């Protein structure tokens, strides 16, 4: 295929490519157990963490959507025992494959030099205190530090505990890592000790170069998205767009990427690897997925709307009377269409999954098809409820 030859594809073909890349086209694409969890994080590139737990938190939910027999203990095993995943900031706090850690070391070094905009109030004394405690006593949580004098919050999400802020800063600087979690309670450990770098002959990986990081971002997007745009590669990372654009142009010249004209995308440019476009067709998808609003298929709202014709609304922080879908609506994918958005809540005391609101959305939810769609979605809701209530 000539380097300057573009390929036109329909929205339906684009959806199939993205769903295959997200591994939502087949059941159990990663197998089961802790190795499946590590494989899923590695393939997706990151799995976003979020605090909202009106249903199970997003990181567990995203993994469950791709690992039918997923257990929360599998993620604990991957993070704390096998150490195949670690936590750091992508576009949000996320689980990331440990093999990719070198691409995040430059950001950690930058925070050591320049600090962190959210944590400017951390004093050197507070930082020395938490580092001294962890070096001496081993891994700890904020609950193990009980002698803080509380201070005023700098913003609504800030902690009043100086030690908590210091732990967070040491995490962003790469001095500490999160070695485990109990819900949202983090256990902090020296990064070198957690990964065994303090024991010869082991040593930390070499930090990636700026050029390597750009290649990593592009390759990660191609693997997990199939068809990419500058916005999808550089989600909430606009400063890197120019560098990514130059790398894309070089790969197009070498025939490694193909420009894609995507139906209804207007002037927004897209690209894909030739092999991806050769496999754009195929059999129809038949699975039902109840997705997290932080799922990679949903988190980039404009992309989701372009591919699926569905405009997701995250309404947890807007007044109740202004909500359309509900407090925490979950998109429902049936085959290759998003057909509903369900506002669900887990009543853990009564051990029930509560339906707050059922919204039909999209062209795939035409009235004549809703009876059968509802039956299939309700079947999946039973499985979803079992996941929510599992110990």
């Amino acid at each position: 295929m000539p380097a300057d030859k573009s390929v036109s594809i329909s929205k339906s073909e684009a959806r199939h490519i993205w769903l295959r890349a997200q591994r939502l086209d087949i059941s159990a694409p990663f197998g089961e157990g802790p190795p499946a969890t590590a494989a899923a994080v590695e393939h997706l590139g990151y799995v976003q963490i979020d605090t909202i737990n009106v249903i199970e938190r997003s990181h567990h939910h995203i993994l469950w959507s791709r690992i039918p027999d997923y257990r929360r203990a599998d993620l604990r095993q991957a993070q704390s025992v096998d150490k195949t995943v670690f936590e750091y900031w992508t576009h949000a706090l996320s689980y990331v494959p440990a093999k990719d850690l070198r691409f995040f070391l430059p950001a950690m070094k930058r925070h050591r030099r320049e600090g962190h905009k959210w944590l400017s109030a951390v004093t050197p004394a507070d930082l020395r205190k938490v580092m001294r405690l962890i070096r001496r006593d081993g891994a700890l949580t904020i609950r193990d530090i009980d002698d803080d004098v509380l201070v005023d919050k700098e913003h609504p999400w800030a902690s009043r505990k100086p030690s908590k802020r210091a732990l967070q800063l040491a995490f962003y600087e790469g001095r500490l890592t999160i070695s485990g979690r109990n819900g949202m309670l983090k256990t902090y450990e020296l990064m070198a000790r957690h990964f065994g770098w303090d024991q010869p002959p082991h040593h930390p990986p070499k930090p990636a170069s700026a050029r390597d990081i750009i290649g990593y971002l592009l390759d990660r997007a191609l693997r997990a998205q199939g068809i990419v745009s500058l916005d999808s590669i550089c989600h909430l990372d606009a400063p890197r767009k120019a560098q990514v654009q130059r790398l894309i142009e070089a790969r197009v010249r070498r025939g490694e990427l193909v420009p894609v004209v995507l139906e209804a995308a207007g002037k927004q440019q897209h690209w894909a690897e030739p092999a991806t476009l050769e496999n754009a067709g195929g059999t129809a998808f038949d699975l039902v997925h109840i997705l997290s609003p932080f799922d990679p298929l949903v988190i980039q709202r404009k992309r989701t709307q372009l591919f699926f014709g569905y405009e997701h609304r995250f309404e947890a922080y807007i007044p109740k009377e202004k909500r359309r879908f509900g407090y925490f609506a979950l998109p429902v994918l049936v085959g290759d269409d998003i057909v509903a958005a369900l506002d669900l809540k887990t009543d853990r005391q009564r051990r029930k999954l509560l339906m707050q609101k059922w919204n039909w959305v999209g062209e795939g939810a035409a009235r004549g098809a809703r009876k059968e769609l509802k039956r299939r979605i309700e079947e999946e809701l039973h499985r979803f409820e079992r996941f929510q209530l599992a110990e």
Side-chain angles (χ1 to χ4, degrees):
M1 181 181 295
D4 59 349
K5 178 76 171 177
S6 63
V7 173
S8 296
I9 65 170
S10 66
K11 283 190 178 183
S12 176
E13 290 171 319
R15 287 198 299 271
H16 277 228
I17 289 171
W18 193 12
L19 290 171
R20 284 197 190 97
Q22 281 291 306
R23 297 297 189 262
L24 291 169
D25 59 324
I26 57 174
S27 180
F30 300 107
E32 59 184 31
T37 294
V41 176
E42 181 173 337
H43 177 81
L44 295 172
Y46 62 85
V47 169
Q48 183 172 340
I49 299 167
D50 194 77
T51 59
I52 294 176
N53 69 335
V54 65
I55 60 159
E56 184 53 88
R57 290 189 173 96
S58 63
H59 39 290
H60 294 303
H61 188 168
I62 291 166
L63 291 166
W64 174 82
S65 293
R66 294 156 177 85
I67 307 170
D69 295 326
Y70 171 76
R71 301 179 308 159
R72 297 159 186 80
D74 295 340
L75 183 56
R76 287 196 294 272
Q77 173 86 19
Q79 179 176 24
S80 303
V81 181
D82 300 337
K83 300 172 185 176
T84 50
V85 304
F86 75 105
E87 294 186 30
Y88 204 66
W89 193 268
T90 54
H91 71 279
L93 187 62
S94 302
Y95 285 102
V96 183
K99 75 176 190 63
D100 292 341
L101 194 150
R102 70 188 189 96
F103 298 109
F104 296 85
L105 292 178
M108 297 175 188
K109 288 191 171 185
R110 185 178 69 252
H111 287 309
R112 286 197 190 194
R113 291 193 312 269
E114 303 172 8
H116 194 292
K117 61 183 179 181
W118 298 336
L119 299 163
S120 58
V122 174
T123 68
D126 289 333
L127 190 59
R128 287 195 299 270
K129 171 186 172 180
V130 298
M131 294 301 296
R132 182 177 65 251
L133 287 172
I134 294 176
R135 286 193 188 100
R136 186 188 69 193
D137 301 332
L140 56 72
T141 74
I142 187 58
R143 292 181 185 173
D144 297 316
I145 303 174
D146 57 8
D147 60 350
D148 273 1
V149 176
L150 300 184
V151 297
D152 292 336
K153 290 187 176 187
E154 292 179 297
H155 54 80
W157 293 278
S159 172
R160 295 188 63 202
K161 280 190 156 188
S163 290
K164 183 171 183 179
R165 299 180 185 184
L167 289 168
Q168 291 169 331
L169 179 60
F171 163 76
Y172 282 111
E173 292 181 347
R175 303 173 192 270
L176 302 179
T177 192
I178 297 169
S179 60
R181 274 182 179 266
N182 182 5
M184 296 307 289
L185 180 65
K186 306 166 190 174
T187 298
Y188 290 90
E189 172 62 293
L190 299 176
M191 180 175 278
R193 194 158 62 194
H194 175 73
F195 286 109
W197 300 336
D198 59 341
Q199 300 295 321
H202 304 292
H203 54 81
K206 182 181 178 181
S209 67
R211 180 177 179 180
D212 288 342
I213 292 171
I214 297 303
Y216 157 74
L217 293 173
L218 176 55
D219 291 337
R220 184 180 74 182
L222 287 166
R223 183 179 65 246
Q225 298 172 8
I227 297 172
V228 301
S229 67
L230 282 179
D231 286 339
S232 76
I233 300 162
C234 303
H235 181 50
L236 302 183
D237 191 14
R240 285 200 168 110
K241 284 185 177 181
Q243 294 170 281
V244 171
Q245 177 78 50
R246 288 193 291 272
L247 179 58
I248 289 171
E249 290 169 354
R251 291 194 185 184
V252 169
R253 287 193 297 270
R254 296 195 297 264
E256 297 169 5
L257 288 180
V258 178
V260 172
V261 179
L262 176 57
E263 177 188 354
K267 294 182 179 180
Q268 187 181 41
Q269 295 177 294
H270 290 81
W271 300 268
E273 294 175 318
T276 298
L277 297 173
E278 289 169 7
N279 299 313
T283 57
F285 302 154
D286 198 39
L287 297 178
V288 178
H289 292 289
I290 298 169
L291 298 172
S292 167
F294 300 103
D295 193 279
L297 200 76
V298 183
I299 193 61
Q300 297 193 32
R301 310 288 189 230
K302 291 181 180 178
R303 178 178 167 93
T304 303
Q305 185 172 11
L306 173 62
F307 281 59
F308 290 92
Y310 165 68
E311 182 183 6
H312 185 73
R313 294 168 60 92
F314 185 72
E315 300 175 317
Y317 301 124
I318 67 173
K320 184 175 182 179
E321 64 274 11
K322 294 184 178 180
R323 294 174 191 156
R324 177 183 167 195
F325 292 151
Y327 178 82
F328 200 69
L330 311 181
V332 181
L333 178 74
V334 180
D336 68 349
D337 275 320
I338 295 175
V339 300
L342 309 181
D343 186 24
L344 301 175
K345 179 180 180 179
T346 301
D347 186 333
R348 294 174 177 90
Q349 191 168 19
R350 295 166 56 203
R351 297 192 60 76
K352 290 181 64 176
L353 181 67
L354 306 179
M355 176 67 66
Q356 310 283 81
K357 189 176 182 183
W358 186 306
N359 308 274
W360 291 109
V361 301
E363 296 176 1
R367 289 193 177 277
R370 288 182 182 179
K371 184 176 180 180
E372 176 61 13
L373 285 173
K374 193 169 190 293
R375 182 192 66 78
R376 295 186 61 199
I377 293 169
E378 286 176 341
E379 283 183 1
E380 184 65 5
L381 279 168
H382 290 307
R383 193 175 80 86
F384 190 66
E385 183 177 53
R386 291 194 296 272
F387 163 62
Q388 294 297 308
L389 300 176
E391 296 297 335

